[in-house]
Amino acid sequence: MVTALLTGARSTLLSAETGQSYTCHSVKALRQKRHRCLAGPIAKAIVTTQALTEHLRGWIEDHGGYIHPDVTLSNSPAFGCRGVVTTEDIGEELVSQEPLLLVPEELSITTSLAKERLHPLLQAAGLPDLEDLDAVLPLALFLAHERNKGQGSFWQPYLALLPQQPGCAWLMAPAELADALRAVQQLVGDEASDWDLRVLEAQQAVTIQARALAGSYGSLLNVTTDDILWGMGQVLSRCFGQEPDLAMLPFTDLCNHSCHAMAPNSYVGTEDGKPFVFVSSIWDDQPRPLAVGDELFISYMANTPPLTAFLNLGFVPEELLAPPLS
């Protein structure tokens, strides 16, 4: 089935186990270091990436999280797209002692949460529940529903920063897809000779799924086929976890991928037992100091076939490429 083909990238299971030990700062101390660039309620007309980023930062900090004041969302030097970059130097001592992103898990959007929140609405309307669907679909439906609430959604600060067009190959315009296929064929070789057809098959399959969901739930949840395709693209290109429960991680999933970086991990606060997702600047298992303009990467742990990665992400991570023949 198509979701079996498409899921797998970013298949990171959050774990309490990590090789990094932070002893200098407790979660409480990190919260006290909060840096707020915007004070008070933010106006509805937020149009710049900087303002949206600060709105998201404030939302996370208001719920007990921490975003280092010298990291922000901007153009990625490595990829020519958005990424999380530094505005000031961050030295080795600091990155050895504390994470740069610390996001409460309660802000995550998971498949199980999507089912829980949508169940009473579907039950009241006499519609089938979502229990038998693959994990991608309830989460995609919920994302689309929440995005269309606008300011009325609890997750609006996060949803407002998700791209209008996810990076999935099956969502690319023909010219963009042709360029992406040419680039990946140079890396993958003959294995990618029929990927144009595989992309078309995936596009047709997800469209059928989105139309079916829109037909069943669109009127109740105020979502269209295009809205659901947007949600599916976000989930398939950004989610972490594995069936049966996937997760969208605010701010964390704005980081770009490097196989040299560390995957997001989990941490339980010693003061209140509150679980967090954290991101550290780690490169090949060593603390990585960051200069102005450097990018904070995470590993998507994309242990998946190259075609699946291309369908999900729009590129093939270097660690999935076969080594050259000697």
Side-chain angles (χ1 to χ4, degrees), residues 157-214:
Y158 166 60
L159 298 174
L161 269 169
L162 293 180
Q164 183 63 33
Q165 178 180 315
C168 307
W170 49 269
L171 277 173
M172 291 180 180
E176 180 186 8
L177 176 61
D179 289 342
L181 284 168
R182 279 193 292 271
V184 80
Q185 284 168 354
Q186 292 179 355
L187 298 172
V188 178
D190 291 342
E191 181 182 348
S193 61
D194 67 343
W195 282 15
D196 55 340
L197 299 178
R198 304 300 296 274
V199 171
L200 180 60
E201 291 171 357
Q203 183 184 65
Q204 293 170 340
V206 295
T207 301
I208 289 171
Q209 290 180 315
R211 284 175 179 164
L213 286 175

Side-chain angles (χ1 to χ4, degrees), residues 63-78:
H63 289 85
Y66 170 75
I67 308 296
H68 190 282
D70 295 329
V71 299
T72 191
L73 185 65
S74 186
N75 289 330
S76 163

Side-chain angles (χ1 to χ4, degrees), residues 242-311:
Q242 294 176 343
E243 293 273 1
D245 204 17
L246 305 174
M248 306 288 288
L249 306 180
F251 211 108
T252 305
D253 65 12
L254 299 174
C255 296
N256 286 316
H257 167 75
S258 172
C259 62
H260 300 283
M262 188 177 82
N265 220 308
S266 64
Y267 172 82
V268 177
T270 55
E271 297 87 6
D272 52 14
K274 189 174 184 177
F276 294 84
V277 175
F278 71 85
V279 174
S280 303
S281 181
I282 301 294
W283 199 260
D284 291 334
D285 298 323
Q286 298 298 317
R288 177 188 177 226
L290 299 170
V292 175
D294 280 351
E295 187 164 0
L296 177 64
F297 293 101
I298 59 175
S299 171
Y300 293 175
M301 298 291 288
N303 185 19
T304 189
L307 173 60
T308 305
F310 183 67
L311 291 171

Side-chain angles (χ1 to χ4, degrees), residues 5-326:
L5 170 67
L6 294 174
T7 54
R10 292 203 186 198
S11 55
T12 304
L13 285 175
L14 298 180
S15 168
E17 298 179 0
T18 174
Q20 192 73 4
S21 176
Y22 298 110
T23 56
C24 182
H25 296 288
S26 66
V27 174
K28 182 177 180 181
L30 285 172
R31 292 173 186 168
Q32 292 171 343
K33 294 176 67 175
R34 300 192 316 172
H35 175 76
R36 296 293 298 276
C37 294
L38 296 178
I42 192 162
K44 289 186 178 181
I46 307 173
V47 294
T48 68
T49 297
Q50 181 181 1
L52 286 168
T53 304
E54 294 309 321
H55 188 33
L56 177 58
R57 184 197 302 270
W59 178 67
I60 289 171
E61 293 180 345
D62 285 343
H63 289 85
Y66 170 75
I67 308 296
H68 190 282
D70 295 329
V71 299
T72 191
L73 185 65
S74 186
N75 289 330
S76 163
F79 294 99
C81 61
R82 295 192 317 179
V84 176
V85 301
T86 56
T87 57
E88 298 289 344
D89 293 349
I90 302 178
E92 183 172 356
E93 181 178 1
L94 189 144
V95 300
S96 301
Q97 295 173 340
E98 65 181 53
L100 300 184
L101 308 180
L102 191 68
V103 182
E105 285 191 10
E106 68 187 54
L107 301 184
S108 301
I109 309 175
T110 64
T111 302
S112 56
L113 181 141
K115 292 178 179 179
E116 177 186 331
R117 293 295 186 93
L118 293 177
H119 176 72
L121 298 176
L122 304 184
Q123 186 178 49
L127 294 175
D129 64 29
L130 307 173
E131 289 302 321
D132 294 333
L133 297 181
D134 291 322
V136 171
L137 301 179
L139 186 49
L141 186 62
F142 185 71
L143 284 179
H145 174 57
E146 288 295 318
R147 182 179 72 149
N148 286 348
K149 289 182 180 179
Q151 296 288 324
S153 172
F154 171 74
W155 291 276
Q156 187 273 339
Y158 166 60
L159 298 174
L161 269 169
L162 293 180
Q164 183 63 33
Q165 178 180 315
C168 307
W170 49 269
L171 277 173
M172 291 180 180
E176 180 186 8
L177 176 61
D179 289 342
L181 284 168
R182 279 193 292 271
V184 80
Q185 284 168 354
Q186 292 179 355
L187 298 172
V188 178
D190 291 342
E191 181 182 348
S193 61
D194 67 343
W195 282 15
D196 55 340
L197 299 178
R198 304 300 296 274
V199 171
L200 180 60
E201 291 171 357
Q203 183 184 65
Q204 293 170 340
V206 295
T207 301
I208 289 171
Q209 290 180 315
R211 284 175 179 164
L213 286 175
S216 297
Y217 306 106
S219 179
L220 175 67
L221 301 178
N222 187 34
V223 294
T224 66
T225 297
D226 285 343
D227 292 332
I228 297 169
L229 284 170
W230 174 88
M232 292 175 70
Q234 301 297 345
V235 174
L236 290 168
S237 64
R238 313 183 78 80
C239 75
F240 292 85
Q242 294 176 343
E243 293 273 1
D245 204 17
L246 305 174
M248 306 288 288
L249 306 180
F251 211 108
T252 305
D253 65 12
L254 299 174
C255 296
N256 286 316
H257 167 75
S258 172
C259 62
H260 300 283
M262 188 177 82
N265 220 308
S266 64
Y267 172 82
V268 177
T270 55
E271 297 87 6
D272 52 14
K274 189 174 184 177
F276 294 84
V277 175
F278 71 85
V279 174
S280 303
S281 181
I282 301 294
W283 199 260
D284 291 334
D285 298 323
Q286 298 298 317
R288 177 188 177 226
L290 299 170
V292 175
D294 280 351
E295 187 164 0
L296 177 64
F297 293 101
I298 59 175
S299 171
Y300 293 175
M301 298 291 288
N303 185 19
T304 189
L307 173 60
T308 305
F310 183 67
L311 291 171
N312 283 352
L313 306 174
F315 68 93
V316 178
E318 61 179 283
E319 63 270 28
L320 300 185
L321 300 175
L325 297 175
S326 57

